[in-house]
Amino acid sequence: MEKFFKTDLITDYMKQNALTKNDFCNVCNISAKEYDMLFNQDCEIELLTLFKIAKFFKIHVKDLFIK
């Protein structure tokens, strides 16, 4: 499976702050389904979801993608 998104950033943050999947989803204001889509490398994820995650991490959306 080809990878499109950098999920390491999210998993590292979750480990460092002892967050569960639901905790992270609540903090970023995304659904668990969107979280799963991101980790399953689903290209049909909504762009708004990526903007919410990028806003939380205070990074550009392009930094969530693997080049």
Side-chain angles (χ1 to χ4, degrees):
M1 175 170 62
E2 187 175 354
K3 288 189 146 205
F4 300 103
F5 307 111
K6 294 180 185 174
T7 55
D8 297 339
L9 174 70
I10 297 170
T11 53
D12 290 344
Y13 179 81
M14 289 173 62
K15 286 178 186 175
Q16 290 173 355
N17 294 293
L19 294 177
T20 64
K21 174 174 128 177
N22 289 329
D23 292 338
F24 181 78
C25 291
N26 288 335
V27 170
C28 287
N29 197 24
I30 63 172
S31 70
K33 180 180 176 183
E34 293 169 323
Y35 176 91
D36 291 336
M37 287 176 74
L38 182 71
F39 276 83
N40 290 332
Q41 302 294 323
D42 188 349
C43 291
E44 294 181 12
I45 191 168
E46 291 186 20
L47 190 56
L48 181 60
T49 302
L50 297 176
F51 274 103
K52 288 178 180 180
I53 294 170
K55 182 180 178 182
F56 174 74
F57 283 112
K58 296 178 181 156
I59 59 173
H60 294 280
V61 174
K62 67 178 180 139
D63 295 333
L64 293 174
F65 289 95
I66 295 175
K67 295 183 180 178

